[in-house]
Amino acid sequence: MHVVIMGCGRVGSSLARSLVERGHTIGIIDQDPKAFRRLGPDFDETTVRGVGFDREVLAKAGIGRADAFVSVSSGDNSNIIAARVARENYGVPKVIARIYDPQRATVYERLGIPTVATVRWTADRLLRHLVPDGQEALWRDPTATLSMVEVLCDEGWYGTALAVLEHATGHRVAYINRFGRAALPTASTVLQDGDQVFMLVADGDEAGIKRIAGAAPQGVS
């Protein structure tokens, strides 16, 4: 996977190093060339000085072959503009923007761009968006028989009650994150586009649950 990152601050640089460690390629953009020092002397991926919505800058960072784009600069407006350019002009499949003002989350979600709030979310959280497979459980009980994991749902589940997903997987939804806010599901809660679903799973069942949720629902309404 090739990922273009705008912003080489603490989050951007940490995310870049984590992705490289997992074998992915990176193009990282920042207006301050000194920011690239955070990447360390052994970082040999592409670094580009400039703004993340400039066409020439994006081209140098490899936007034409990008599988994902992440904007984590220090400005909300720059982040959302860059994210929209990546999504709308270049058709990048995965686009994520970090925000400082959580009140804007609803607006960005309506544009089809997942957002993460600076205070509550880190490079590790962004990494789960980009590379969900192989991530550690968010929580595990002391006996290691129960854990909480994020489950990515196929878009076919949108508009379906979470109770139906629970029935299909045989496991409980612990909570969902909607518009940057955690919420406890009720019997009538319906899955929406952009929701993040976190489920409690028994040891050994995680792969099966993710397989069911990650495919279009069968025989449910």
Side-chain angles (χ1 to χ4, degrees):
M1 186 167 67
H2 182 68
V3 182
V4 175
I5 301 172
M6 185 186 80
C8 193
R10 287 178 296 178
V11 172
S13 59
S14 177
L15 178 63
R17 291 194 303 268
S18 295
L19 287 168
V20 169
E21 289 173 0
R22 287 164 171 78
H24 305 291
T25 60
I26 298 296
I28 188 164
I29 302 166
D30 202 287
Q31 296 186 67
D32 182 4
K34 295 180 181 179
F36 299 128
R37 296 176 183 174
R38 294 188 177 95
L39 298 169
D42 299 329
F43 189 86
D44 59 1
E45 297 292 317
T46 303
T47 58
V48 185
R49 181 181 180 184
V51 294
F53 43 84
D54 181 277
R55 290 181 179 272
E56 291 186 8
V57 170
L58 287 168
K60 292 178 180 178
I63 193 68
R65 60 188 177 93
D67 301 288
F69 180 87
V70 181
S71 50
V72 286
S73 75
S74 59
D76 280 4
N77 290 335
S78 295
N79 285 341
I80 199 61
I81 291 172
R84 292 193 66 179
V85 168
R87 168 66 60 80
E88 298 170 12
N89 292 18
Y90 293 95
V92 179
K94 291 184 179 180
V95 177
I96 307 169
R98 181 179 69 169
I99 60 171
Y100 286 83
D101 180 5
Q103 298 301 318
R104 299 183 180 184
T106 303
V107 176
Y108 296 165
E109 294 284 355
R110 288 174 180 169
L111 296 174
I113 299 173
T115 59
V116 294
T118 299
V119 174
R120 298 189 300 272
W121 301 66
T122 63
D124 180 64
R125 191 70 194 85
L126 286 163
L127 191 61
R128 287 193 174 94
H129 270 289
L130 298 172
V131 192
D133 293 335
Q135 296 298 313
E136 293 295 324
L138 299 173
W139 172 85
R140 191 179 299 276
D141 84 298
T143 65
T145 58
L146 189 68
S147 59
M148 182 168 63
V149 299
E150 180 176 357
V151 176
L152 299 183
C153 296
D154 181 87
E155 62 182 17
W157 289 99
Y158 300 159
T160 301
L162 285 175
V164 177
L165 176 64
E166 291 180 330
H167 178 75
T169 61
H171 287 71
R172 286 290 186 89
V173 174
Y175 73 98
I176 62 171
N177 193 294
R178 178 173 293 172
F179 302 139
R181 293 176 178 269
L184 292 174
T186 66
S188 61
T189 301
V190 172
L191 187 66
Q192 298 180 12
D193 187 3
D195 285 352
Q196 293 169 274
V197 180
F198 300 86
M199 298 189 75
L200 291 171
V201 304
D203 185 42
D205 292 342
E206 181 177 346
I209 291 171
K210 289 186 174 181
R211 184 175 62 255
I212 293 171
Q218 301 295 318
V220 299
S221 59

